[in-house]
């Protein structure tokens, strides 16, 4: 193969993998039900190597995929069969730390948490905190516009990215955005966020850093039902309080987290609400009084406050380990990522319970309650025939419910391969067609991470035109 | 994770070989603590990558021979076990897999000679003593020795401490609170006999009588962790026989030995001694765990305040999940301040015979560990494993007036001893 020959000239054999024994490690991401074998994996050590690799792929019309730490939960970083995987783990340098302007310029293979660690001596941190922050990369975060517990107050990745340098799928190198947050014109860096690897490879990112809050106050409220905990969230938010984070865990996910890290959660609670207030000392104290009042009003039977930083970190460690920890309860599971309006959380949780009962499949719930981002973990044993299909059917039912409630099929994990067939539930053919045209404007050969996000295979894009469904329904018009 | 491993073909080790594969959810939480992933920066050198690879070998889609490089690269430090929220027992998986690999691999001559030299020497104190002495002679000759043997020479101690013959029974001081057997250790007896001496003194000061069976043998950990099971079982059998049933516990003071004995259930899976081996494993305790369990009698103050940085040996912290006890024991000395180094969970690069077989990686890890320990500005480095002791001492050497490296019990002993 000409491409392999050219790659062989670009990379030493220690950084170009082509043997099956070397490729297996890259066969899947966090969603192991989907796997594919790439033609080769490369481990570039410089941006130039990445750019040259993309150009070689373009010339030979070979699909490629950028890979960070492979923690995607939607099959987003599953290789493209016969394509090239460009791993970015050695592009892991923090290029500039600029505390004065509160920004950091990093290569995209840098691990999320490392940015905060490097900023810590300056009293700053990088706010988006996916539960996988100890290992997921900034590149993966950009591609999925990842969120985390504290995105309730601070927003998702796109709100913290000022600029991006990327090599697009046709080999062109572009710089999007700038170091200033107040630029005029379209938000090009924001546009790049959430592209799921379909535009090319991000090489560098300019990230906004946030001053560390003076004070944290982390409160655990135990409820005897999950729905009550869900309801409490909307009560708190409607009151005008804006906590840094509001998370909910149900009994199963608490059991899993306990088994993994002994976080010390209340033993009998059916629903646990974790609320974190943060900011100036006085403001936090004021908010805390109000929060306690509201929690009591919503029927919590026990309230606990983290007494020191160690306890606070344990609470979060348990919460952030919960996905993986569910592995202790069930050999296989699907993590869903649907969103519902916050005010309908209680209702959505009750429905999930009902569906789970009907399907005879256990579902654990642990999620970013503050922004209505559910994470039902659908447990099954793949060794038993037909269980995966039943679990997928249940997942589909939950996603459809989210859309019907006015929400979305994904809050932060991306569409990937897993949810692509549900995209039409949210978007009309015209919307999807428009997205495809944008994609082709940037990636004319459709070689960047093909087979993801859009429904179907890589069949030529649908070219349906005509009125938008909302137009047809008379809701919007073009005049 | 799903697999199509033919479980029936795996024999008695089937559980050790499949639990990890089944429980791994591919989340990657183990990656940041893995020293080989950190230094080599590729998925294939990560715990998650190795689990995938071992699965493929067990399924028969990748030949064993092709999988060996990344498997050999693993230090067996078990940091990934501590990090894993999903309860993957990677430690058992790699031990069982290595045993399988060792049987099936083609062995290049150099590696065979090196391994057999190490495994036929270190576990036998008298041979080890001789070897260290002869090795010293070999240093001047190193220019003409094969490359694969040189790192081993670099690790040799410049001088050997005098032999210390310890009695068969070491009495308790004051009221007798218990009776234990001590695993005297093989390499440790030669390189640092003072650790056993200190252990006996501290146990005695706490009312414990210690029996040191003369006919005990190496626990087999060194061989077990490199997959050479036959060699491991040979000495382990002898050890099992030598420990009387009526002991409260079998005490280990080298973390590697303790974790090795903990894995007897894998080593003896399907063997006739399986149940005896399991019983002994159940009774085996690290000296720090034991002292903490019985309740340490307060040691007196040291003559002057001491700043001690504690290094978590992988085989104690990760494999035996013991981080608390040594800290509680040290903190019992009122004028001792305990310091915590950054990145405690990352291996120092010693890991059994790793520093001999993979010198480059071991060196990088050793240097980083030395820096991290020194960053706390300690008077003394404390730890609970002879392997780490040699490795850390070696990498501290290049600094000006490096702090001494002592076993936790040596510090305790020095507190108790000023009394008498
Ligand atoms: C236990 C667990 C908890 C999680 N919790 C959260 C959470 O709280 N919030 C959340 O949002 N997500 C969460 N995730 C999902 C996942 O961690 C995020 O999606 C993360 O951003 C992926 O980062 P990564 O480095 O692993 O990327 P990968 O999985 O390697 O890649 C993900 C996608 O990004 C693309 N990509 C990667 N690097 C680049 C680049 N440089 N340029 C262009 N495209 C690129 C890939 O092509 C792929 O499409 C969790 C995952 C796990 C396993
Ligand atoms: S035992 Fe240590 S070196 Fe081996 S995979 Fe686990 S963390 Fe990495
Ligand atoms: S942390 Fe555990 S479950 Fe996650 S990838 Fe590592 S071994 Fe697998």
């Amino acid at each position: 193969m000409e491409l392999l020959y050219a790659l062989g000239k670009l990379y030493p054999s220690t950084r170009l993998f082509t043997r099956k024994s070397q490729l297996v490690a890259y066969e899947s991401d966090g969603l192991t039900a989907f796997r594919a074998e790439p033609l080769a994996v490369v481990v570039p050590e410089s941006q130039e190597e990445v750019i040259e690799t993309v150009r070689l792929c373009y010339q030979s019309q070979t699909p490629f995929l950028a890979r960070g730490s492979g923690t995607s939960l939607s099959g987003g970083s599953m290789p493209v069969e016969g394509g090239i995987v460009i791993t970015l783990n050695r592009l892991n340098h923090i290029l500039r730390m600029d505390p004065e302007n509160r920004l950091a310029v990093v290569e995209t293979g840098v691990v999320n948490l490392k940015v905060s660690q490097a900023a810590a001596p300056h009293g700053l941190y990088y706010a988006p905190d996916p539960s996988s922050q100890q290992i997921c990369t900034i590149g993966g975060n950009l591609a999925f516009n990842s969120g985390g517990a504290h995105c309730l107050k601070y927003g998702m990745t796109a709100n913290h990215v000022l600029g991006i340098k990327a090599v697009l799928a046709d080999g062109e190198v572009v710089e999007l955005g700038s170091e200033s947050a107040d630029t005029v014109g379209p938000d090009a860096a924001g546009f790049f966020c959430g592209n799921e690897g379909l535009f090319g490879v991000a090489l560098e990112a300019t990230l906004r850093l946030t001053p560390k809050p003076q004070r944290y106050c982390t409160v655990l409220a135990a409820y005897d039902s999950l729905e009550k905990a869900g309801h409490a969230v909307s009560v708190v938010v409607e009151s005008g309080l804006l906590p840094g984070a509001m998370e909910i865990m149900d009994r199963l996910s608490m059991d899993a987290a306990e088994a993994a890290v002994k976080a010390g959660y209340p033993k009998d609670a059916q629903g646990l609400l974790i609320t974190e207030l943060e900011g100036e000392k006085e403001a936090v104290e004021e908010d805390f009084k109000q929060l306690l009042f509201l929690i009591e009003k919503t029927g919590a039977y026990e309230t606990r406050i983290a007494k020191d930083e160690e306890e606070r970190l344990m609470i979060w460690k348990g919460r952030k380990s919960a996905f993986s920890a569910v592995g202790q309860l069930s050999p296989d599971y699907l993590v869903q990522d649907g969103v519902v309006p916050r005010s309908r959380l209680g209702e959505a949780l009750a429905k999930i319970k009902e569906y789970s009962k009907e399907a005879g499949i256990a579902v654990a719930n642990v999620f970013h309650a503050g922004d209505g981002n559910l994470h039902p973990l659908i447990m099954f044993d793949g060794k038993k025939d037909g269980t995966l299909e039943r679990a997928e059917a249940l997942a589909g039912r939950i996603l459809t419910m989210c859309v019907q409630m006015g929400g979305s099929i994904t809050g932060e994990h991306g569409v990937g391969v897993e949810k692509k067939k549900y995209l039409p539930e949210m978007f009309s053919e015209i919307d999807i067609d428009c997205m495809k045209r944008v994609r082709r404007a940037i990636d004319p050969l459709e070689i960047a991470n093909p087979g993801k996000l859009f429904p179907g295979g890589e069949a030529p894009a649908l070219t349906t035109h005509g009125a938008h469904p909302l137009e047809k329904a008379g809701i919007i018009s073009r005049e | 994770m799903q697999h199509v491993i033919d479980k029936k073909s795996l024999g008695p080790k089937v559980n050790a070989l499949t639990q990890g594969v089944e429980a791994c959810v591919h989340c990657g939480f183990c990656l940041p603590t893995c020293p080989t992933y950190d230094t080599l920066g590729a998925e294939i050198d990560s715990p998650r990558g190795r689990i995938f690879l071992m699965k493929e070998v067990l399924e028969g889609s990748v030949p064993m021979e092709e999988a060996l490089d990344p498997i050999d690269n693993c230090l067996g430090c078990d940091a990934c076990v501590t990090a894993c929220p999903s309860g993957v027992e990677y430690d058992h998986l790699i031990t069982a897999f290595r045993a399988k690999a060792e049987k099936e691999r083609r062995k290049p001559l150099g590696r065979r000679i090196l391994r057999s030299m190490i495994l036929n020497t270190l576990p036998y104190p008298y041979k080890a003593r001789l070897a260290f002495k002869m090795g010293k002679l070999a240093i001047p000759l190193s220019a003409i020795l094969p490359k694969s043997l040189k790192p081993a020479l670099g690790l040799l101690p410049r001088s050997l401490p005098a032999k210390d013959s310890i009695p068969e029974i070491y009495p308790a001081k004051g009221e007798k609170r218990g009776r234990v057997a001590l695993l005297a250790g093989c390499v440790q007896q030669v390189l640092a006999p003072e650790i056993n001496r200190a252990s006996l003194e501290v146990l005695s000061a706490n009312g414990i009588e210690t029996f040191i069976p003369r006919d005990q043998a190496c626990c087999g950990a060194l061989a077990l962790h490199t997959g050479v099971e036959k060699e491991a079982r040979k000495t382990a059998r002898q050890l099992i026989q030598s420990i009387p049933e009526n002991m409260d516990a079998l005490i280990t003071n080298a973390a590697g030995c303790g974790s090795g004995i903990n894995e007897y259930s894998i080593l003896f899976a399907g063997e006739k001694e399986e149940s005896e081996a399991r019983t002994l494993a159940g009774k085996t305790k690290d000296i720090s765990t034991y002292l903490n369990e019985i309740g340490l009698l307060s040691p007196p103050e040291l003559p002057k305040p001491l700043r001690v940085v504690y290094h978590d040996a992988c085989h104690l912290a990760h494999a035996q999940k013991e981080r608390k006890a040594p800290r509680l024991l040290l903190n019992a000395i009122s004028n001792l301040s305990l310091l915590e180094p950054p990145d405690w969970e990352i291996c120092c690069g010693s890991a059994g015979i790793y520093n001999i077989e993979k010198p480059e990686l071991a060196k990088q890890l050793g240097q980083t560990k030395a820096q991290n320990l020194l960053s706390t500005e300690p008077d003394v480095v404390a730890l609970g494993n002879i392997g780490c002791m040699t490795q850390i001492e070696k990498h501290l050497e290049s600094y000006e007036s490096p702090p001494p490296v002592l076993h936790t019990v040596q510090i305790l002993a020095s507190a108790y001893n000023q009394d008498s």
Side-chain angles (χ1 to χ4, degrees):
Chain A
M1 285 257 326
E2 240 170 73
L3 175 64
L4 282 185
Y5 178 74
L7 289 175
K9 280 179 129 177
L10 190 57
Y11 295 96
S13 63
T14 47
R15 296 194 285 117
L16 167 64
F17 304 148
T18 50
R19 285 206 315 268
K20 168 124 180 125
S21 58
Q22 299 169 310
L23 300 178
V24 289
Y26 299 89
E27 268 182 9
S28 82
D29 57 18
L31 183 64
T32 51
F34 296 109
R35 282 182 214 170
E37 192 174 302
L39 177 68
V41 173
V42 295
V43 189
E45 283 182 344
S46 70
Q47 298 187 13
E48 290 68 36
E49 284 180 346
V50 180
I51 296 168
E52 193 48 36
T53 308
V54 171
R55 289 185 179 157
L56 289 171
C57 287
Y58 182 72
Q59 281 157 18
S60 59
Q61 309 203 359
T62 311
F64 67 87
L65 158 87
R67 187 182 194 272
S69 294
T71 65
S72 150
L73 290 167
S74 55
S77 45
M78 178 188 83
V80 181
E81 197 83 45
I84 305 298
V85 175
I86 305 174
T87 66
L88 293 151
N89 310 92
R90 290 202 201 172
L91 251 67
N92 59 354
H93 302 99
I94 296 183
L95 302 174
R96 185 154 70 89
M97 192 48 77
D98 182 350
E100 222 158 275
N101 293 307
R102 291 189 183 158
L103 58 86
V105 182
V106 304
E107 288 180 330
T108 48
V110 169
V111 165
N112 173 303
L113 189 63
K114 295 267 180 197
V115 181
S116 288
Q117 282 169 350
H122 310 289
L124 300 168
Y125 75 116
Y126 177 60
D129 62 338
S131 301
S132 51
Q133 72 188 124
Q134 55 178 312
I135 186 61
C136 66
T137 64
I138 293 295
N141 293 174
L142 290 178
F144 276 161
N145 191 18
S146 298
H150 292 79
C151 292
L152 171 59
K153 182 166 180 178
Y154 296 98
M156 314 283 280
T157 300
N159 301 91
H160 300 268
V161 175
L162 300 168
I164 292 172
K165 176 181 169 195
V167 51
L168 301 182
D170 60 0
E172 184 190 353
V173 176
V174 293
E175 305 222 7
L176 310 169
S178 71
E179 289 192 0
S180 155
D182 326 296
T183 42
V184 272
D187 176 10
F191 166 73
F192 194 89
C193 287
N195 75 62
E196 300 205 5
L198 267 60
F199 288 172
V201 187
L203 300 165
E204 258 177 56
T206 306
L207 307 175
R208 186 213 303 263
L209 301 173
T210 308
K212 263 209 221 134
Q214 198 182 40
R215 178 86 196 265
Y216 288 105
C217 173
T218 313
V219 183
L220 295 183
Y223 292 86
D224 57 16
S225 86
L226 187 59
E227 295 78 9
K228 275 191 197 163
H231 175 65
V233 176
S234 44
V235 172
V236 171
V237 179
E238 271 161 29
S239 77
L241 273 185
L242 183 55
M246 291 192 89
E247 301 280 305
I248 289 183
M249 300 175 79
D250 71 357
R251 188 64 257 157
L252 277 176
S253 56
M254 275 184 270
D255 285 344
E258 278 303 319
V261 304
K262 297 190 186 61
Y265 297 135
K267 288 211 167 47
D268 317 310
Q270 292 306 311
L272 177 73
L273 175 63
I274 307 173
T275 309
E276 184 158 275
L277 299 167
E278 47 172 61
E280 307 262 317
K281 192 165 165 278
E282 292 76 22
V284 168
E285 278 164 13
E286 268 312 299
D287 288 354
F288 176 59
K289 280 187 217 141
Q290 195 186 344
L291 179 68
L292 277 191
F293 168 75
L294 293 169
I295 285 178
E296 212 160 291
K297 206 174 90 179
T298 50
Y301 70 84
E302 188 188 332
T303 312
R304 261 190 234 168
I305 296 126
K307 66 174 185 309
D308 51 27
E309 184 63 9
E310 200 180 330
E311 254 189 51
R312 172 178 174 259
L313 292 178
M314 269 328 273
I315 291 175
W316 283 117
K317 192 166 180 198
R319 161 61 188 94
K320 295 195 172 189
S321 303
F323 281 7
S324 326
V326 167
Q328 306 220 9
L329 303 184
S330 169
D332 302 286
Y333 60 83
L334 293 176
V335 189
Q336 285 304 311
D337 178 39
V339 184
V340 295
R342 193 167 37 224
S343 57
R344 300 181 73 177
L345 258 182
E347 190 188 334
L349 291 167
K351 276 208 171 141
I352 294 178
K353 196 159 136 192
E354 187 189 312
Y355 293 171
S356 137
K357 229 183 188 165
E358 280 172 25
I361 298 177
V363 176
N365 283 288
V366 46
F367 55 97
H368 308 312
D371 34 24
N373 188 185
L374 300 170
H375 288 324
L377 292 122
I378 301 166
M379 300 190 241
F380 66 98
D381 182 351
K383 285 194 289 298
K384 298 195 183 127
D385 268 354
T387 44
L388 170 63
E389 290 70 23
R390 278 174 45 224
E392 280 186 321
L394 175 58
R397 204 169 168 201
I398 295 175
L399 287 185
T400 308
M401 170 202 81
C402 291
V403 177
Q404 282 166 357
M405 282 188 159
S408 134
I409 57 171
T410 170
E412 54 184 21
H413 297 169
V415 178
V417 258
E418 191 218 5
K419 292 188 274 293
K420 60 180 189 175
K421 71 173 183 218
Y422 297 101
L423 204 67
E425 305 239 349
M426 269 191 79
F427 297 102
S428 70
E429 275 179 15
I430 301 163
D431 293 335
I432 295 178
D433 184 39
C434 171
M435 290 184 217
K436 285 193 172 180
R437 275 187 282 159
V438 172
R439 188 264 180 97
R440 269 201 307 274
I442 293 166
D443 175 11
L445 299 178
E446 300 192 2
I447 52 170
N449 207 7
K452 316 287 172 73
L453 201 139
F454 293 117
E458 272 309 280
L462 296 170
T463 42
T464 31
H465 289 282
H468 188 278
L470 290 178
E471 271 183 296
K472 283 189 207 153
I475 299 171
I476 57 166
S477 72
R478 296 186 196 215
E479 269 87 42
Chain B
M1 153 168 70
Q2 288 303 300
H3 63 78
V4 289
I5 300 170
D6 174 17
K7 286 193 173 183
K8 283 187 222 86
S9 68
L10 296 181
K13 292 197 178 64
V14 56
N15 286 344
L17 286 168
T18 51
Q19 185 277 345
V21 173
E22 284 168 9
C24 176
V25 299
H26 219 250
C27 65
F29 276 32
C30 51
L31 269 57
T33 54
C34 175
T36 58
Y37 181 71
D38 196 45
T39 40
L40 302 170
E43 183 73 34
I44 196 65
D45 284 304
S46 78
R48 183 175 63 174
R50 289 187 184 106
I51 293 173
F52 238 87
L53 183 60
M54 288 189 264
K55 174 185 89 71
E56 296 289 324
V57 174
L58 295 173
E59 284 178 341
S61 59
V62 169
M64 176 65 89
E65 207 60 36
E66 273 190 34
L68 291 175
D69 249 4
I71 299 298
D72 288 345
N73 274 346
C74 169
L75 291 110
C77 71
D78 298 351
C80 50
V81 180
T82 304
C84 175
S86 186
V88 170
E89 290 167 0
Y90 177 91
D91 44 350
H92 300 331
L93 172 57
I94 191 88
T95 302
F97 191 86
R98 280 186 162 154
K100 190 173 159 55
E102 201 55 33
K103 281 195 201 117
E104 295 172 19
R105 79 194 307 157
R106 286 194 298 275
K107 298 161 192 109
L109 190 64
R111 181 188 161 93
R112 250 184 7 229
I113 296 178
L114 182 62
R115 280 218 157 172
S116 103
M117 267 176 55
I118 297 167
L119 296 177
N120 279 312
T121 315
L122 295 188
Y124 305 95
Y126 70 96
K127 282 202 218 166
R129 207 175 159 77
L130 200 68
F132 286 134
K133 283 199 168 152
M134 298 211 323
K136 261 170 52 197
L137 275 181
I139 294 177
L141 304 176
S142 69
I144 54 169
L145 282 173
K147 220 168 125 207
S148 61
L149 287 181
K150 281 187 193 164
L153 291 177
L155 285 168
L156 283 178
R158 295 266 154 75
S159 62
L160 281 187
K163 232 168 140 174
D164 182 3
S165 36
I166 42 180
E168 195 166 16
I169 293 181
Y170 201 92
K173 254 191 208 157
E175 189 198 336
K176 191 165 144 187
R177 298 162 73 201
R179 185 156 182 259
V180 298
L182 177 75
L183 178 72
C186 32
V187 190
Q188 176 168 299
Q189 268 187 61
V190 180
L191 291 183
E194 59 277 14
I195 297 178
N196 279 341
R197 179 59 63 179
S199 303
L200 295 171
E201 287 166 0
V202 173
L203 286 166
S204 168
N206 279 279
I208 306 298
E209 179 184 284
T210 311
F211 173 54
I212 309 104
R214 290 261 193 257
D215 56 346
Q216 64 172 283
C218 166
C219 64
L222 218 49
L224 172 64
H225 288 147
T226 36
V228 192
E229 280 195 316
K230 238 168 121 188
E231 191 61 43
R233 271 199 293 266
K234 197 164 91 193
T235 55
R237 263 194 202 110
Q238 160 106 32
L239 174 68
I240 297 172
Q241 277 162 18
S242 71
I243 308 296
E245 271 175 23
N246 59 354
M247 293 289 143
D248 298 346
L250 167 63
I251 300 298
T252 55
N253 53 17
C257 304
S259 76
I261 299 178
N262 276 342
E263 290 196 305
Y264 274 8
S265 58
I266 300 178
L267 182 63
F268 285 98
E271 301 283 318
K272 66 177 189 310
E273 302 91 340
E274 186 170 349
S275 92
E276 277 168 279
R278 279 178 187 267
T279 313
L280 185 67
K283 255 193 181 178
T284 303
K285 286 185 177 145
D286 184 74
I287 189 158
S288 64
T289 310
Y290 180 73
L291 287 169
N292 190 44
E293 272 175 18
I294 61 162
L296 189 80
L297 303 180
S298 303
E301 260 193 2
L302 291 163
K304 44 179 210 229
L306 195 67
R307 290 169 59 82
V308 177
V309 61
Y310 182 75
H311 160 74
D312 280 291
C314 295
H315 282 140
L316 194 53
H318 300 306
Q320 299 183 59
K321 310 210 180 320
E322 184 60 274
R323 297 190 64 219
K324 254 199 190 140
R327 290 176 166 80
L328 290 172
L329 299 181
L330 289 169
N331 265 329
I333 302 176
S334 59
N335 59 346
L336 181 152
S337 5
L338 195 60
L339 312 166
E340 297 290 341
D343 296 337
W344 68 267
E345 69 275 31
I346 309 258
C347 179
C348 67
S350 158
I353 59 172
Y354 195 83
N355 47 12
I356 304 178
E357 294 197 327
K358 300 273 171 184
E360 270 315 305
L361 260 177
K363 186 171 156 195
Q364 259 185 44
L365 292 169
Q367 284 171 344
T368 313
K369 185 56 77 181
Q371 271 166 21
N372 281 335
L373 290 167
L374 287 177
S375 73
T376 63
E377 301 179 1
D379 300 324
V380 170
V381 176
L383 41 67
N385 190 34
I386 180 76
C388 309
M389 190 179 234
T390 336
Q391 167 82 346
I392 290 175
E393 264 175 358
K394 180 174 133 105
H395 288 281
L396 284 174
E397 242 172 35
S398 56
Y399 292 88
E400 212 177 301
S401 51
V405 184
L406 298 175
H407 193 288
T408 308
V409 289
Q410 288 180 281
I411 300 178
L412 289 172
S414 63
Y416 286 119
N417 282 347
Q418 15 161 26
D419 242 12
S420 47

